[in-house]
Amino acid sequence: MAGRQPTDGRDSRGNVQGRPPQGYRGPTQLTGRPSQPRSGAGHPSRPRQAPHEGQRPRQGRSQVGGRSLNGAASRPTGYSLHSRNINFSDRRMGGRGGRGRDGLDGRRVALVVIAIALLVIIVLVISSCVRGCSQAATDSAEQAATTEVNAQDSRVAAGVDETTTAELTTALDRGDQLSWIAANAGLYPTSMIDLAVDEPAAVSFVRDWPDSDKTASAYTDAVTKGTVPQLMMFDTRWGNLDYAGSPLGVKGSGPTCVAMGYMGLTGANDKTPGDVSVRVTDAGMATGDGGMDGSFIAQKAGDLGLTGVAVSVDATSISTALKAGQVVICEVKADTLTTVDHFVVLAKENDNTTLTVYDPTSTEVSSHEWSYSTIVSSASGAWGLSASTTAATTAATE
């Protein structure tokens, strides 16, 4: 009907009231003009009271032509959108006046980078300090080492006590000597090299042997009658002599034991192992694995002013001979007390029924007491020496 207004919310041009015309691109603003609601499926059309004067429109739901921006089927609000700027960029950035996610992440990254840089700087500073302190300590130690010298032996650190320095000096000297022996092994019989390896106290003797004149010298140490002195066959005062096809220092355990018995029984020091070795050689008894025929003790002791007798190899016979004042000499088998067949002196019986043994080939064997059972099981023969009246009188006169 002419002049009749449409009742479905459209104006005379056919546009929905409150909705921008087609092709309109401009901003929209909220106004207080109420829009005409229209009927929709499931939403009956009903009038909505206009807001009172001064009353603000409800926030949160904007409509275009009675249709909610949050959904096409929402309830009409009665207000239309008209050219009011809505800062959607602010909303995406977290609300009006808020910080954007990108800006916040950028600041966090910057803080992390700064923290890492500070940490690296701290680590570098600490590391530099540690290196500097360590270098300073090293320099101080080196300077102290160069300025302080052990007066006893410059090879030993300063401040070491005299006893320890002496022990270290002996070990260092022995090491140097062993190195020389190894480098010049062709100068030695195998038996001498074995002696240097097995007996630390013999290293010096072995080292000097190639340059020795193969002669003997006197024994000037004090001797007490009734006390058997401990002698070693590799003593340089007689060890360089040739005996039984080898140096006396390698094969001379028999003559050395006889000399110990002589000195202990007579209190005289005029018969050294070198002197006895000449008598054994002259008697043709420098034989056998031990370097001497044990029968020399019983048959030729008289040449030394001594009396020698064979003793049964058992604990009772040996104990009886020792208690009678005799010096008992035993020949022991290889691989018992040591690795080779040789002679030892049973110097005395101790209160605990052990034996003091002087082994002229080994300082280790001589360093502790031995049980009768060990000695008896190791011995292949035993002889007892005692001083004759003539020998004792001659020794006392001298």
Side-chain angles (χ1 to χ4, degrees):
M1 181 180 292
R4 185 178 179 180
Q5 295 292 331
T7 60
D8 59 352
R10 297 177 182 269
D11 58 16
S12 59
R13 296 182 181 180
N15 294 322
V16 179
Q17 292 182 359
R19 179 181 297 177
Q22 292 182 358
Y24 179 74
R25 303 299 185 186
T28 59
Q29 290 184 340
L30 288 174
T31 66
R33 184 186 302 169
S35 62
Q36 296 296 326
R38 71 186 179 92
S39 299
H43 295 278
S45 177
R46 60 185 177 185
R48 185 178 183 86
Q49 295 180 353
H52 297 288
E53 184 177 357
Q55 181 180 355
R56 298 179 62 186
R58 293 177 62 183
Q59 299 293 322
R61 290 190 179 181
S62 299
Q63 293 185 344
V64 178
R67 185 176 295 178
S68 173
L69 292 178
N70 294 327
S74 298
R75 189 174 59 188
T77 62
Y79 293 94
S80 301
L81 284 175
H82 288 285
S83 58
R84 178 175 179 177
N85 290 329
I86 301 174
N87 191 354
F88 291 105
S89 61
D90 254 0
R91 296 178 184 273
R92 290 196 301 270
M93 298 292 286
R96 181 173 298 178
R99 297 183 182 275
R101 181 183 303 172
D102 293 340
L104 182 59
D105 289 347
R107 173 168 289 187
R108 286 180 179 175
V109 170
L111 290 175
V112 170
V113 170
I114 293 172
I116 292 175
L118 290 175
L119 181 60
V120 170
I121 292 172
I122 293 172
V123 170
L124 290 176
V125 171
I126 294 175
S127 176
S128 177
C129 180
V130 170
R131 285 198 301 270
C133 294
S134 299
Q135 185 62 41
T138 302
D139 294 342
S140 299
E142 291 177 353
Q143 184 177 3
T146 56
T147 56
E148 296 183 16
V149 178
N150 189 317
Q152 191 173 348
D153 190 332
S154 60
R155 297 172 297 176
V156 181
V160 178
D161 62 85
E162 293 183 0
T163 301
T164 303
T165 298
E167 293 173 351
L168 290 171
T169 297
T170 300
L172 290 169
D173 290 343
R174 186 179 298 134
D176 293 340
Q177 292 164 348
L178 280 171
S179 296
W180 194 95
I181 293 170
N184 298 274
L187 301 176
Y188 299 96
T190 302
S191 58
M192 290 203 75
I193 295 177
D194 291 342
L195 176 63
V197 172
D198 296 338
E199 177 52 55
V203 172
S204 178
F205 162 73
V206 175
R207 163 63 183 86
D208 296 337
W209 178 79
D211 301 324
S212 67
D213 56 8
K214 311 299 188 292
T215 59
S217 58
Y219 181 76
T220 58
D221 294 8
V223 176
T224 302
K225 184 178 179 179
T227 301
V228 178
Q230 182 179 356
L231 305 177
M232 307 305 292
M233 66 182 186
F234 44 78
D235 191 308
T236 55
R237 288 172 286 192
W238 49 76
N240 293 314
L241 291 173
D242 292 329
Y243 173 77
S246 296
L248 180 64
V250 175
K251 295 284 284 185
S253 62
T256 304
C257 286
V258 173
M260 281 192 277
Y262 172 83
M263 293 181 186
L265 290 169
T266 65
N269 60 4
D270 60 318
K271 299 294 189 294
T272 68
D275 298 319
V276 176
S277 69
V278 173
R279 295 175 185 271
V280 175
T281 300
D282 292 345
M285 293 183 172
T287 61
D289 293 336
M292 186 184 77
D293 186 341
S295 61
F296 173 84
I297 300 171
Q299 297 176 17
K300 300 295 181 177
D303 296 343
L304 299 171
L306 303 175
T307 299
V309 295
V311 177
S312 298
V313 183
D314 61 73
T316 301
S317 299
I318 293 174
S319 177
T320 299
L322 290 173
K323 289 176 180 178
Q326 296 181 20
V327 174
V328 177
I329 297 174
C330 289
E331 183 175 10
V332 294
K333 296 170 285 189
D335 298 320
T336 53
L337 300 186
T338 67
T339 59
V340 297
D341 188 304
H342 65 288
F343 290 85
V344 298
V345 171
L346 307 183
K348 65 178 181 177
E349 179 183 295
N350 302 306
D351 294 339
N352 59 356
T353 68
T354 60
L355 294 168
T356 295
V357 178
Y358 289 161
D359 187 335
T361 73
S362 172
T363 54
E364 195 280 328
V365 172
S366 303
S367 66
H368 59 86
E369 299 171 347
W370 294 84
S371 66
Y372 268 101
S373 60
T374 300
I375 298 302
V376 169
S377 63
S378 301
S380 59
W383 297 267
L385 280 177
S386 58
S388 63
T389 304
T390 303
T393 301
T394 301
T397 301
E398 297 176 351

